[in-house]
Amino acid sequence: MQSSWAAGATAPSSDPIVHVLQRFTYGPTKELVSEVNKIGADAWFEKQLDHLSISDRDLESYIAKQDCFNYIHKDMNFLWPLAESEGDITKGQIFNSNHFSGRVLRLYTLIQQAHSNRQIFEMMVEFWHDHFNITTIGDDTKDGRLDWHTNDWNKRVIREYALTKFEDLLQATALHPAMIIYLDGELSTKELPNENYGRELLELHTVTPKSGYTQADILEASKLFSGLRVNWPERWYQRGPRPMPQGKRRLDISPFATMLHEERQNFGTFKIMGWQRTVTSADQVMPAIKSLLNYLAMHPETAKTIALKLGRRFVEDVPSQKFISDISSTYISSGGDIKETLRAVYKHSDFKNAIGTKLKRPGEDYISVARALDVWPDFTRLQRWPAITKEFAFPTIIPDEVGRMGHAPLSWPFPDGYPDIAVNWVNANYQVLRWNVYGNFVQGNIWKAPVWDSLLSVRETNLDRQIDQVSQLLLFKELGSADRISVRKAVVKVFGENPNFTNQYNDITGLIARLIFQLPVWSLR
C-alpha cells in the first residue's frame, strides 16, 4: 500500500526508530521510543529475539489476579474431567468449560498484544496463527470439539515454536489434535482418506500452488496421514459423539494427545512432488511423516512462501521480487531459522524505505490505541459466563468489540488466516466502527480510562499547545497544518474558543486524542 499526502495533511513520522516500532510492535509508546533511543534499534531488535530473557512481570501479575485465566492453556485432559465432574449435564454445562476457555483465550491474546514487553514474539505468534490458522469459535466449529484443544495449540505449538525453526513448527502443527480436528483427520479412513490436511499442507502451509504439485500429490499426502487421530480420554468416548476406534493397534504419538490408528493407516510407497518413501509397518509411519515435512519445510517454494508473507506483514502489501529472493535465500541458508530470517527482513533496504506503506488491520488498530493510552481491561465492568458450576466474570465485550470490526483474535473461519493487505480492510463500515471504538477508549468504557497526567508531561491550559502535546504522544510529531486546523475547529465547536481546562481537562484532552485517532495517518503501521 503506497500512501500520498495532500498539503497540510499529517504524514507518518520519518524517525527510523518510530518506523521499526510501528512494524515490529503493536504500536510505539512514549516509554518504548525513549528506551530504544537510548540503546539503539539494533540492540532492541536483538533483545526482542531473545524473548524469554525479557521480563513480563507486570503482565503476568495482572493475569494471575483474574480467576478466568486459570483456564488458559489447559488441554483436553484437564478440561474434560473438570467439566464431567462439576458440570450439570441437564443444563448443558458439561460442554461449557471448553467454550469458555476459548473465549478467555481471545481476551488473553489481546492483553498479551497490548502489554507484553515481548512485542516481536507476540507479532510472530499472530503471524503463525494466521499461517496455520485454526479458528476458535466454540460449538459453531466441528461440533464443539475443536475448542477442547485450541488453548493447548496456542501454548504448545504456536507460542512454543514461534521463534525457533520452521521445520519444528511445521512438525508440531501436523501432529497436534487441533489441526487433526480442524482439517478433518478424525474423519479419515484407509479407504477414503480425507484430503483436507494434505491439501492445506501443500497449498497454504508450505509450497503453494506455484510449486506445481498435483492432485495426486494431495492424495498421496492424505494417505500418509490417514492413520492420525486424537487420543481422547476414555470417558470422552463414553459420553462423546463417536465410539472408541476399534482395532488392536493404537500407538501414542508424543508429545501431544495424538495417536496412530493402524487399522486406518495406508501403507505402501508414497510419492509427493520430489519426495518418496516406502512404509510397510506402523512404526515406519512417523519417520516417513517427519521426513516429508522436513522436505517440504526446506523446499525453495516454501522459502518463497514465508518470505512473501513476512514481506506483507512487515514491509508492504506487494513485496518486491528482490526482497522475496533475498529473504528466501536467508531462510534456506539458515535451515529455516525464524530468527535469522527476521533479522534479514529487519536489515533489508526495502524495510527501511517502507515508511507509510502498511495499513493497520482492525485488531492492530485497536491494540495500538490501548498501548498509546497505556490502558488495561476494566475488570470492574464485567459479564458473567456460567461455566461449569461457577460463574466466571470477565470483559468478554473486548474480543466481541474487535470481532465487530472483523478481526477478533483466532477467529478467522477459513484455513488461510486473516488477510494482510489493505484492500481487505478499507470500507466505510470499518471506519465508523473505528470511530466508535476510539470514543470508548478515551471515555474509559470497557478499558480503564487513560490517565492523562501520567501520559503528558505538562497539564496545559492552552488549546494549541495541548493539541501539539497530544500529537507528540500519539504520532511522535506535530500535526500537519490542515489537520491541526481541523482538530482545533472540532474542539472549539464543542468547548468554545477558550476551553475551560480547569474543569474539563480530561474531556478536552480525550476529544483531541479521539480526533487524532481518526486521522488517516493513525491508520498506518
Side-chain angles (χ1 to χ4, degrees):
M1 172 187 168
Q2 296 295 327
S3 53
S4 57
W5 304 92
T10 310
S13 170
S14 59
D15 184 339
I17 285 178
V18 173
H19 173 54
V20 168
L21 297 180
Q22 286 278 20
R23 295 301 172 84
F24 281 101
T25 77
Y26 283 93
T29 66
K30 180 178 65 174
E31 290 77 10
L32 188 53
V33 170
S34 176
E35 174 193 338
V36 179
N37 270 302
K38 290 178 182 177
I39 67 174
D42 291 352
W44 175 82
F45 191 87
E46 285 302 314
K47 182 180 178 181
Q48 284 286 306
L49 293 184
D50 187 17
H51 69 286
L52 293 178
S53 70
I54 301 172
S55 173
D56 251 343
R57 188 178 298 109
D58 291 344
L59 174 60
E60 291 165 358
S61 176
Y62 177 88
I63 293 293
K65 292 176 182 177
Q66 316 302 334
D67 282 350
C68 66
F69 293 120
N70 290 333
Y71 275 68
I72 285 297
H73 296 153
K74 304 301 185 184
D75 67 6
M76 175 69 181
N77 291 310
F78 171 91
L79 293 171
W80 178 260
L82 187 64
E84 188 178 48
S85 64
E86 297 187 17
D88 184 342
I89 195 169
T90 64
K91 298 179 181 179
Q93 289 179 331
I94 195 166
F95 297 110
N96 276 2
S97 60
N98 65 317
H99 303 160
F100 173 69
S101 67
R103 283 155 178 79
V104 175
L105 176 59
R106 299 181 202 174
L107 176 63
Y108 174 88
T109 298
L110 292 170
I111 295 173
Q112 292 287 329
Q113 292 171 353
H115 288 289
S116 175
N117 294 322
R118 303 163 181 169
Q119 282 287 291
I120 288 182
F121 173 71
E122 291 299 329
M123 294 285 288
M124 292 308 295
V125 165
E126 184 180 33
F127 178 85
W128 293 123
H129 266 299
D130 280 338
H131 186 76
F132 297 104
N133 185 59
I134 290 178
T135 191
T136 304
I137 52 178
D139 46 343
D140 292 334
T141 302
K142 310 299 177 186
D143 300 324
R145 294 180 297 126
L146 184 57
D147 268 7
W148 292 109
H149 300 285
T150 49
N151 264 265
D152 190 64
W153 163 268
N154 181 65
K155 178 183 179 181
R156 298 179 66 201
V157 176
I158 303 299
R159 289 183 173 272
E160 179 72 19
Y161 295 99
L163 287 175
T164 58
K165 285 197 170 185
F166 181 76
E167 177 190 347
D168 296 336
L169 174 59
L170 182 65
Q171 298 274 359
T173 63
L175 301 180
H176 195 276
M179 184 66 77
I180 293 172
I181 293 171
Y182 185 58
L183 293 181
D184 296 319
E186 288 278 85
L187 306 180
S188 192
T189 65
K190 180 184 292 188
E191 296 76 16
L192 293 173
N194 190 283
E195 296 182 12
N196 284 354
Y197 178 71
R199 179 178 296 105
E200 307 308 356
L201 173 64
L202 299 178
E203 179 180 339
L204 297 176
H205 300 168
T206 58
V207 293
T208 76
K210 290 183 179 180
S211 65
Y213 66 78
T214 66
Q215 175 61 28
D217 293 319
I218 294 174
L219 182 57
E220 287 285 283
S222 303
K223 288 180 178 179
L224 179 60
F225 284 87
S226 64
L228 292 185
R229 71 180 300 164
V230 178
N231 193 2
W232 299 91
E234 184 174 347
R235 288 287 294 165
W236 186 91
Y237 290 111
Q238 296 175 15
R239 286 188 182 262
R242 292 187 177 88
M244 181 176 288
Q246 300 301 305
K248 298 179 180 180
R249 292 277 287 176
R250 297 193 299 273
L251 308 179
D252 291 345
I253 297 175
S254 176
F256 308 120
T258 306
M259 67 178 176
L260 179 69
H261 187 199
E262 185 174 357
E263 281 74 13
R264 300 186 337 151
Q265 179 64 44
N266 280 273
F267 298 98
T269 298
F270 299 91
K271 298 179 181 180
I272 300 163
M273 299 179 68
W275 176 90
Q276 180 174 319
R277 192 78 170 250
T278 298
V279 178
T280 59
S281 62
D283 59 358
Q284 295 176 343
V285 174
M286 285 310 303
I289 284 176
K290 291 179 179 180
S291 173
L292 172 63
L293 294 177
N294 177 61
Y295 167 80
L296 293 174
M298 295 312 301
H299 195 285
E301 291 300 324
T302 299
K304 293 176 184 178
T305 299
I306 302 304
L308 172 62
K309 285 196 167 185
L310 288 173
R312 284 179 180 164
R313 177 87 296 252
F314 296 110
V315 182
E316 55 191 336
D317 286 359
V318 184
S320 71
Q321 287 303 309
K322 184 179 187 311
F323 176 89
I324 293 173
S325 176
D326 291 345
I327 302 307
S328 60
S329 177
T330 298
Y331 174 96
I332 293 294
S333 64
S334 68
D337 186 280
I338 296 169
K339 291 182 182 180
E340 196 61 35
T341 307
L342 278 176
R343 284 190 187 97
V345 173
Y346 166 72
K347 294 177 180 179
H348 202 279
S349 58
D350 283 11
F351 169 76
K352 298 180 186 300
N353 296 326
I355 292 174
T357 60
K358 281 296 296 182
L359 183 79
K360 295 174 185 174
R361 298 187 293 183
E364 297 153 14
D365 191 1
Y366 188 87
I367 292 301
S368 68
V369 175
R371 285 179 58 77
L373 300 180
D374 191 25
V375 292
W376 295 75
D378 189 350
F379 266 80
T380 64
R381 300 169 63 88
L382 301 173
Q383 293 168 284
R384 314 293 294 187
W385 178 271
I388 316 179
T389 57
K390 177 180 179 180
E391 286 192 339
F392 287 85
F394 74 109
T396 185
I397 194 170
I398 290 177
D400 288 348
E401 189 168 51
V402 188
R404 286 195 294 274
M405 298 168 73
H407 198 199
L410 319 181
S411 300
W412 184 252
F414 310 112
D416 56 349
Y418 280 109
D420 201 6
I421 56 177
V423 68
N424 295 104
W425 302 109
V426 178
N427 60 70
N429 181 60
Y430 165 49
Q431 187 62 45
V432 171
L433 288 169
R434 287 175 61 222
W435 290 341
N436 292 333
V437 163
Y438 301 149
N440 288 339
F441 269 108
V442 299
Q443 293 165 13
N445 296 329
I446 308 170
W447 296 71
K448 291 184 178 180
V451 181
W452 297 111
D453 286 336
S454 297
L455 294 168
L456 303 172
S457 56
V458 178
R459 183 176 264 258
E460 279 289 355
T461 58
N462 176 276
L463 176 57
D464 293 306
R465 289 196 296 268
Q466 187 70 339
I467 290 173
D468 291 341
Q469 187 175 214
V470 176
S471 178
Q472 287 289 347
L473 171 72
L474 302 180
L475 303 176
F476 304 95
K477 62 176 296 181
E478 292 185 356
L479 297 178
S481 57
D483 285 343
R484 196 171 186 281
I485 290 171
S486 67
V487 169
R488 192 183 196 285
K489 284 183 177 179
V491 176
V492 167
K493 186 175 181 179
V494 176
F495 293 101
E497 186 65 39
N498 296 298
N500 185 343
F501 278 91
T502 302
N503 296 327
Q504 296 177 299
Y505 181 82
N506 288 341
D507 293 337
I508 297 166
T509 306
L511 178 57
I512 294 170
R514 184 176 181 182
L515 292 166
I516 292 174
F517 288 141
Q518 293 175 8
L519 296 176
V521 66
W522 178 259
S523 299
L524 298 178
R525 293 180 57 224

